[in-house]
Amino acid sequence: MSGFLVKQPGLLTLIQDGGRYGHHRIGLTNGGPLDADAFKWANRLCENDLNATALEISIGGLVLEAQVDTILAVTGAHMPFKINGQEAQRWQGHKIKAGDKIELGFTTAGTRAYLAVAGGFQMEKTFSSTATVTREAIGGLNGQKLQQGDILACKSHHTDTLWALPESEQPDYLQSATLRVILGYQQHSFDPVQQRLFFSSEYTLTDRADRMGFRLEGQRIQSMLDGILSEGICHGAIQIPADGQPIVLLNDRQTIGGYPKIGSVIARDTAKLSQRMPGTKLSFEEISLEQAHNINCLAERRFITTALQRIA
Amino acid sequence: MKVEIAGENAIIIYFGEVADPLVSAQVQLAAARLEAVMADTLIDMVPSYASLMVIYDQYKTDHFAVRRHIRETLQQLGDVTQQEGSVIALPVYYSSESGPDLEDLARRAQLSVDEVIKIHSGMEYRVYAIGFAPGFAFLGEVDPRIAAPRLSTPRLKVPRGAVAIADRQTAVYPSVSPGGWNLIGLCPTPMFNPKASPSMPVKVGDSVRFSAIDRSEFLALGGEL
């Protein structure tokens, strides 16, 4: 099947759908987009199912050549975007013709961009998902990041309608971010002073940040526990190893682990975290589970009710 | 038993604080019951040594309802008997060729290599948890005489099928990966195959028994050196 030819794979470009769920019991992690918001917008701009298979481009450097006529949209990080050498707008649909060259340069704000095509890329699913987890060698094309010469299969699609997300709705990845946390797990092994220090200190995002987890640096936090019997780790869990520096665990995390955890960052905020560059200052804010539930339900509602602008 | 929040859509149940076959059996039973009552509101579960993490769909249910299911399930759990899983036999080629840490481990334990093999293959292990990597089953508990701490410098590349010991746990590495466990042999049985169904020969709650095989048997079973 034809689709898009990978002329340059970029630093780290991964095939992702919404993620792999229901397989933790055999040790499989979730994968899926680090910034689920930007991912869903890319699909919505192409009038796709919100879980349709798209590309997650980290940092940039991707060049594709279209082999079919279709619609394509790029969202997320500010990567200079060109179609046949002409600057193109992110956060909107574009008509693509076979032979067109699509380029994404290196980012100036944010770290992950998402590229979707009408109908999504057509890939075989492994354990109910196309999400690539390179550590597990599962999903995508042979469980690996994109390579030069790969063909990303997709159907041709013809329409006259194009959509854009109004600029007022587009996120700003240069803003400082507060990560909202629900206390949980071994929270009681961090005494009140340690908890207060944690929520009142500023942390810096280090360059030891990948799809498994982001390591922060700043005020040391101490648990009364050295280690615990290995247990399930959920998305966003904040692990505090012996050096006292928090690690926020993300989509490709191990499913179980034995370090004490103070709680978990909500997914809306891990999405923001994953768009930040090393060196960014961050802080944590405690919220209740009820607040998290409200935040999520309101955000979900806002996503559904935000109207796209028809541009063609 | 203790129920704690894990994250925005996850709750963790603690059944005990140490690895124990009875506690592990309770985890299994609770997992099966909760799976049935939570139906499509359940996203995933992570059973481990003495805990069970439940991940739910926060747009189909809420933590009040999930906590109620958990409370009722735990109240009705009743007496749990130790064994209900199957017993899986795994052949192992124990040697210094296939297990570079075997001789060291024997020396430190003040045992002969044959004694180490006899002890390791002489008992049944329970699958307490699966994680670290797809198909990596944590088996316990190893006889204290052959328990050995993790290597101070982990290996960058442990071969697929490596049979290993760390403290009182033992495992078979399902694929090539970095690892700090003591390698004592190789198992030719694939521990994880995404194309097969089921993709793993064992599941949490099953038991494993290792049996010693020689070099030619190992090769005949498809093992690679």
Side-chain angles (χ1 to χ4, degrees), chain A:
Chain A
M1 195 180 186
S2 52
F4 284 79
L5 170 68
V6 178
K7 304 283 275 185
Q8 266 182 44
L11 235 49
L12 172 65
T13 303
L14 297 171
I15 291 162
Q16 296 292 354
D17 63 6
R20 186 171 286 110
Y21 296 94
H23 305 285
H24 281 339
R25 263 175 279 190
I26 54 169
L28 290 174
T29 193
N30 296 134
L34 287 182
D35 181 351
D37 277 337
F39 170 84
K40 284 198 273 183
W41 279 121
N43 272 325
R44 224 184 116 183
L45 289 165
C46 295
E47 297 187 76
N48 290 346
D49 181 295
L50 295 178
N51 269 332
T53 300
L55 298 180
E56 178 179 274
I57 304 113
S58 294
I59 310 302
L62 177 73
V63 182
L64 302 176
E65 188 182 283
Q67 299 171 323
V68 294
D69 297 355
T70 186
I71 302 294
L72 174 151
V74 174
T75 62
H78 296 232
M79 295 180 192
F81 172 32
K82 287 180 184 166
I83 301 172
N84 296 325
Q86 297 286 310
E87 208 174 299
Q89 292 295 311
R90 294 154 46 252
W91 301 98
Q92 71 166 60
H94 293 275
K95 270 193 203 184
I96 299 295
K97 294 223 167 314
D100 284 354
K101 187 177 172 191
I102 290 99
E103 289 173 86
L104 281 175
F106 290 94
T107 183
T108 54
T111 59
R112 329 267 159 186
Y114 294 88
L115 183 154
V117 295
F121 292 108
Q122 306 296 307
M123 306 276 157
E124 204 185 318
K125 290 181 179 178
T126 315
F127 296 104
S128 67
S129 165
T130 61
T132 314
V133 179
T134 54
R135 179 173 64 80
E136 296 176 344
I138 279 180
L141 296 169
N142 307 313
Q144 289 187 37
K145 62 180 188 176
L146 285 202
Q147 310 285 325
Q148 192 176 346
D150 281 348
I151 303 275
L152 306 170
C154 72
K155 294 176 187 147
S156 62
H157 181 86
H158 296 92
T159 176
D160 287 323
T161 317
L162 292 176
W163 300 99
L165 180 67
E167 213 177 318
S168 57
E169 299 294 327
Q170 298 173 13
D172 175 2
Y173 301 126
L174 293 175
Q175 249 177 18
S176 68
T178 301
L179 308 177
R180 287 163 291 185
V181 173
I182 304 164
L183 287 174
Y185 283 117
Q186 290 76 36
Q187 56 164 312
H188 301 299
S189 77
F190 298 88
D191 69 35
V193 174
Q194 296 297 318
Q195 292 198 15
R196 193 156 294 184
L197 281 172
F198 179 71
F199 286 112
S200 61
S201 304
E202 195 174 62
Y203 287 89
T204 307
L205 180 55
T206 69
D207 56 6
R208 293 169 76 187
D210 60 23
R211 289 184 47 90
M212 283 181 75
F214 278 29
R215 198 176 280 261
L216 309 182
E217 208 170 65
Q219 174 65 47
R220 222 183 116 90
I221 299 299
Q222 207 133 33
S223 165
M224 291 176 272
L225 301 167
D226 288 335
I228 53 169
L229 208 51
S230 276
E231 63 181 31
I233 305 174
C234 69
H235 185 269
I238 308 164
Q239 187 169 284
I240 313 279
D243 68 3
Q245 304 293 323
I247 304 172
V248 181
L249 295 162
L250 300 175
N251 303 45
D252 291 5
R253 70 196 179 282
Q254 293 180 6
T255 53
I256 63 172
Y259 289 106
K261 297 172 287 299
I262 189 168
S264 300
V265 178
I266 63 172
R268 305 202 57 72
D269 291 351
T270 61
K272 288 190 219 158
L273 171 65
S274 69
Q275 288 288 11
R276 278 5 183 220
M277 293 279 196
T280 303
K281 307 278 186 217
L282 299 155
S283 57
F284 294 99
E285 179 194 341
E286 184 192 343
I287 60 168
S288 67
L289 189 54
E290 286 76 11
Q291 283 171 304
H293 192 75
N294 283 343
I295 290 165
N296 289 335
C297 287
L298 286 170
E300 195 71 4
R301 174 108 198 107
R302 181 165 180 196
F303 178 81
I304 293 164
T305 54
T306 298
L308 293 176
Q309 245 173 339
R310 187 162 171 180
I311 51 171

Side-chain angles (χ1 to χ4, degrees), chain B residues 30-42 45 65-66 68-70 72-73 76:
Chain B
R33 299 249 176 103
L34 276 170
E35 190 170 22
V37 294
M38 287 181 66
D40 73 334
T41 63
L42 181 72
M45 277 185 175
V66 177
R68 192 174 60 240
H69 284 314
I70 290 174
E72 286 167 5
T73 301
Q76 292 159 14

Side-chain angles (χ1 to χ4, degrees), chain B residues 131-155:
Chain B
F132 170 63
F136 191 101
F138 290 85
L139 309 173
E141 289 207 289
V142 168
D143 188 305
R145 285 174 293 166
I146 58 166
R150 285 172 176 76
L151 307 177
S152 49
T153 313
R155 285 188 174 84

